Every structure is written in C-alpha cells, then in structure tokens.
Amino acid sequence: MLLSGCGVESFLDPQGPVAAQQRTHFWQVTALMALVVLPVLTLTPWLLWRYRDRGGADYEPRWGFSRGWEIALWGGPALVVAALAVLLWVNTTRLDPYAPLASDANSLRVQAVGYDWKWLFLYPDLGIASVDLLAFPAGRPLEIELTSATVMQSFFVPALGSQVYAMGGMSTWLHLGADAPGRFRGENSQYNGEGFHMQKFEAVAMDEAAFEGWARNAATASALDTAALDALEQKGVASDLAYALDRPSDEILFGGLPDDLFAQVMAETTKAPMAPHDMAAGR
C-alpha cells in the first residue's frame, strides 16, 4: 500500500480488467489469511507479558484437554485453507491467460518475440511491426501470442496484470486490456543473464482513432527485411538497433513483414522444419 503511493505501477492500481480482478483476488486472500495471522500477532505480545518471569514461584500449570480449544485451534485454520483452495481454484480458472476477455469488441491480435534485449511486436493482420512499443486501442481486448528467439523470458505489464513466460520453439498466449488511454511500463521480469534488466518496453493504450493513425504511420515505414532481422538478432537494446538501422531511436516501426515470421522464429530456435502457423489451431 505504501508503494502504491510512490508511482509504482502494479495491479494494486489496476488500469485494465485483468489487473482489477487480480487486485480483488489479492485482498480476498489477504482478508482470509488475516483470520489466522492477526490472532497470532495480537496474542503473542499478550502471552509474553502474561507469562513473563516475575522472579516468584515456579510456574506449574495444571494441564488438561479442552475439546473446544482443540476444535478452534485446528478447525479455524482448516476452514481458512479450504476457503483459500476454493477461492484460488475459481480465480485461477477465471484469470486463465489463454481465455479471451469478455467484450463486444473484436480482439487485436499481436505476436510478441523476445530478443536480447528487446521485444519485437508483430501485427500480422495489419502487416506492421514495432520494437519495444506495444500499441493498442483502449477498451478493446488484446490477444498476444508469445515466443522467444533466445533464452526463456517473462512478459509482464504490471499495471495491466498477468505475467507469462516465453520460451524458444514454443508459443503461449496472454489476453490483456486497458480501460482507458495511457502509457504503461512493460518488462522482462525473468532473471536470465546479462542485460535482462534493460529489456523493457512501453505499452501504449490509445483511443481507436489514434491507434488507426499510428497504424497508418507504421505502414509507411520500411519493411522488416533480412538486414533488419539480422540486426534484431544482435544483442543490444532498442537504441542499439536504431543506430544499426540508422533509424530514430524514439520509435522503431516496420511497414512490411515476412510471411509467417512468428513461425520462422520458432522453427529457427528449435532447428525444426517450419510448418504453416495457425494461431487458433495451436491452442
């Protein structure tokens, strides 16, 4: 709660439906745990004071069995554990990252590829791509398919909720959304070696008109050709890539994509034959 007042982005200050559900779940679990923890925290000081050494007569308690105390001591925690089990099961199912978000709007499909030390975002339905910039319309579900071109990585946007791992040769999914336009910090939260702490990106939720304008502008950029792909595979942050491609470092966009690039990355990572990739069929 103290960190939430310091401008730290987290699900405790949710900016999307997933993070909002996570915050509710967090406080539910905290309240249940408090039923066990608070009595311990409050009674321990009292017991220390009540049975302190007063330098008098020896303490010789008269031991006895109390059925009521035994039921309370064991039954209370057992009920809390049972309630937590049910709550965790329900919310884990509800927050399944593979499950699409309920919405009347169509999802925006994005493919995210983790490199050293940057993220490539592909918009296969729009034929555009960006580096370290995940742009999407606010109020519209975001369907992200992820993989890694190198080592295991973790995709995380704290303000929007959920974290999911990306592994080479494999794909996974994450569904997110933003309630209103805004800019949110994204990162690789997986400790996976040198440079991982620099692998950050910006998630930008826009209104629909602004996103359409952004997409049109991206379509005018040069294509994601062999030279750009070779530069992407080199270790370095987005500014290093911009320097290698002689591009402005504030926004790296591509206006044309190789056919089925996401599947190519997975195939090259595993050195396996490439097959046509169908996102829906791979679930």
Side-chain angles (χ1 to χ4, degrees):
M1 288 186 291
L2 292 175
L3 289 176
S4 65
C6 300
V8 177
E9 294 185 14
S10 78
F11 67 93
L12 293 177
D13 182 21
Q15 303 299 315
V18 175
Q21 292 182 62
Q22 289 179 329
R23 182 180 64 174
T24 300
H25 174 65
F26 173 80
W27 289 122
Q28 289 172 339
V29 171
T30 300
L32 283 172
M33 293 298 297
L35 297 177
V36 175
V37 175
L38 287 181
V40 174
L41 295 179
T42 55
L43 290 177
T44 297
W46 178 81
L47 289 170
L48 291 174
W49 177 84
R50 175 67 176 80
Y51 296 103
R52 68 192 184 281
D53 184 4
R54 304 181 187 182
D58 293 338
Y59 174 57
E60 297 178 353
R62 294 186 297 272
W63 299 107
F65 177 78
S66 173
R67 188 179 303 277
W69 272 110
E70 290 293 329
I71 292 175
L73 291 174
W74 293 101
L79 289 175
V80 170
V81 170
L84 282 173
V86 173
L87 183 64
L88 288 171
W89 177 273
V90 171
N91 283 301
T92 299
T93 304
R94 182 182 301 160
L95 294 172
D96 180 4
Y98 277 50
L101 301 181
S103 176
D104 295 332
N106 295 327
S107 298
L108 174 66
R109 188 165 67 107
V110 178
Q111 295 171 326
V113 182
Y115 286 90
D116 294 331
W117 303 296
K118 47 197 169 288
W119 292 93
L120 173 66
F121 296 104
L122 306 171
Y123 297 77
D125 298 329
L126 303 177
I128 60 177
S130 62
V131 175
D132 283 352
L133 175 62
L134 175 59
F136 61 99
R140 182 176 170 186
L142 183 60
E143 185 178 74
I144 309 173
E145 186 179 17
L146 300 107
T147 192
S148 172
T150 59
V151 296
M152 183 175 178
Q153 301 181 23
S154 173
F155 182 93
F156 188 29
V157 185
L160 300 182
S162 291
Q163 170 273 144
V164 68
Y165 291 101
M167 298 178 64
M170 303 175 66
S171 65
T172 189
W173 287 267
L174 178 63
H175 291 79
L176 295 175
D179 296 326
R183 292 179 175 269
F184 316 109
R185 173 179 54 86
E187 62 186 356
N188 167 29
S189 60
Q190 169 70 16
Y191 186 92
N192 54 8
E194 177 188 8
F196 86 97
H197 64 285
M198 299 186 294
Q199 191 171 340
K200 303 182 185 299
F201 65 94
E202 190 173 36
V204 182
M206 312 174 181
D207 59 51
E208 194 71 40
F211 175 75
E212 291 177 358
W214 177 85
R216 285 194 299 269
N217 178 58
T220 64
S222 57
L224 184 56
D225 54 18
T226 302
L229 288 172
D230 290 341
L232 270 169
E233 293 174 358
Q234 303 303 311
K235 290 186 176 181
V237 295
S239 58
D240 298 321
L241 175 64
Y243 179 80
L245 298 177
D246 194 22
R247 298 278 197 91
S249 59
D250 57 337
E251 193 172 62
I252 305 176
L253 304 174
F254 299 99
L257 305 179
D259 293 337
D260 220 353
L261 177 58
F262 192 85
Q264 290 182 39
V265 172
M266 289 200 299
E268 291 172 1
T269 306
T270 57
K271 304 300 181 182
M274 186 187 72
H277 181 68
D278 185 342
M279 182 174 179
R283 289 174 185 266

